[in-house]
Amino acid sequence: MISPAIVQRASEWMVRLWADDASDADRAACERWRVEHPHHELAWRRLQSFDDKLSSTPREVARHVLREPAPAAFLARRRALQLLGLSITIGGATYLVGGGDRWQIAMAGYSTATGEIRAITLADGSTVVLSSASAIDVRFTQDERLIVLWAGEILVTSAPDPAPAYRPLRVRDRHGTVQALGTRFTVRQQADNSHVAVFEGAVDVRPAHGTGIAVRLDAGQGSSFNASTVQAPASVQQSAAAWAQGLLVADGMRLDTLLAELAHYRPGLLRCDPAIAHLKVSGVFSVRDTDRALHNLTRVLPVDLVSRTRYWVTVRAATPVTN
């Protein structure tokens, strides 16, 4: 794991090279620092990747999020970093501070942008699919195989550990730990709780501050948990993991719930008029093409789409047609 001190130094070099008066000597000194240790280069590359994502943010979205009418390039970067808890000054006293998990998300070993779904294979043969706007670190030691979920949702399919000594496979987030027992399961971290759904095998759920034994969930069961308690198990359908194939399956789902799910996969704002929130929806929708999914809604429900921009869409009751 990269230390905060190295991340801080990498950010200092990056801000120095962003400056208009950056010299060839500055660039050479940065290159020397980067080759001094592998973690230096890794921190630099991850920050550079993060900056590339910021640079590619659509102008309309950046203006809405940053609440600036026309931010200059450097100010946009600085403000966006601040939103993630990465505060950078413009003067000589440049620094980076961690804001809880937020700087960890920016520096995570694996992450996805909004709308992106990514599958990775771990060293033990297990697979992890990251949903939209998700971030994880993978830490394999002699004692355990650990996946740290910093943000979003993942689908884990465990594989037998090839190591001679048994190492449990665990997913840990801010609310607790989920241990795989030869299984396929999802973990979704939200602000106040996390949700786990099991599709094959079983898992043990242990809240971060729980005092009792772990709660066992079998295939077809799911539960929400916070740092102290695990809710009673409820049934889950296999289709709950369809997002890993780019699909959202609705079976009598409330419209506001469906739109909240689609919102995870698109930038900007997607709003539902409260007057039609109760409408029920059934069907299969693409989370890779949310514009198409929204258009399809207008074909099966009495609703219209009102777009200020592509990144600010409201779904409201259809306007009656008058002659």
Side-chain angles (χ1 to χ4, degrees), residues 15 27-28 54 61 65 76 95 117 144 162 174 179 181 186 198-199 206 227 266:
V15 173
R27 284 182 278 272
L54 292 180
V61 176
V65 173
Y95 61 93
I117 298 172
E144 68 174 349
R174 70 166 66 97
Q179 181 169 324
L181 303 173
T186 57
V198 185
F199 307 102
R206 189 180 300 276
R266 57 184 289 121

Side-chain angles (χ1 to χ4, degrees), residues 87-100:
S87 300
I88 299 180
T89 67
I90 298 178
T94 308
Y95 61 93
L96 177 147
V97 296

Side-chain angles (χ1 to χ4, degrees), residues 166 168-171 177-183 185 202-206:
Y166 171 69
L169 176 64
R170 300 184 175 113
V171 175
T177 301
V178 179
Q179 181 169 324
L181 303 173
T183 187
F185 64 103
V203 302
D204 282 341
V205 182
R206 189 180 300 276

Side-chain angles (χ1 to χ4, degrees), residues 162-312:
Y166 171 69
R167 299 179 301 171
L169 176 64
R170 300 184 175 113
V171 175
R172 188 182 74 206
D173 69 7
R174 70 166 66 97
H175 299 117
T177 301
V178 179
Q179 181 169 324
L181 303 173
T183 187
R184 180 172 177 264
F185 64 103
T186 57
V187 180
R188 182 175 189 171
Q189 179 175 254
Q190 299 170 305
D192 298 324
N193 58 37
S194 295
H195 185 79
V196 56
V198 185
F199 307 102
E200 296 176 11
V203 302
D204 282 341
V205 182
R206 189 180 300 276
H209 305 307
T211 57
I213 62 174
V215 175
R216 176 71 53 89
L217 298 177
D218 296 313
Q221 292 184 319
S223 178
S224 295
F225 64 96
N226 57 30
S228 58
T229 60
V230 180
Q231 299 299 314
S235 62
V236 296
Q237 302 297 319
Q238 290 287 331
S239 59
W243 60 261
Q245 283 75 50
L247 301 174
L248 171 60
V249 180
D251 183 9
M253 184 181 295
R254 281 177 57 102
L255 178 59
D256 55 353
T257 301
L258 182 139
L259 293 177
E261 288 298 313
L262 288 178
H264 289 299
Y265 297 90
R266 57 184 289 121
L269 297 176
L270 176 59
R271 295 177 171 175
C272 180
D273 183 345
I276 58 171
H278 65 283
L279 295 179
K280 297 297 180 68
V281 184
S282 295
V284 179
F285 300 88
S286 171
V287 298
R288 298 186 188 276
D289 187 350
T290 55
D291 285 339
R292 179 181 177 185
L294 292 174
H295 174 71
N296 287 341
L297 278 177
T298 67
R299 303 175 65 179
V300 298
L301 291 176
V303 300
D304 286 336
L305 305 180
V306 179
S307 303
R308 294 192 182 185
T309 73
R310 181 179 181 273
Y311 307 102
W312 191 331

Side-chain angles (χ1 to χ4, degrees), residues 42 117 130 157:
L42 184 57
I117 298 172
L130 286 78
T157 303

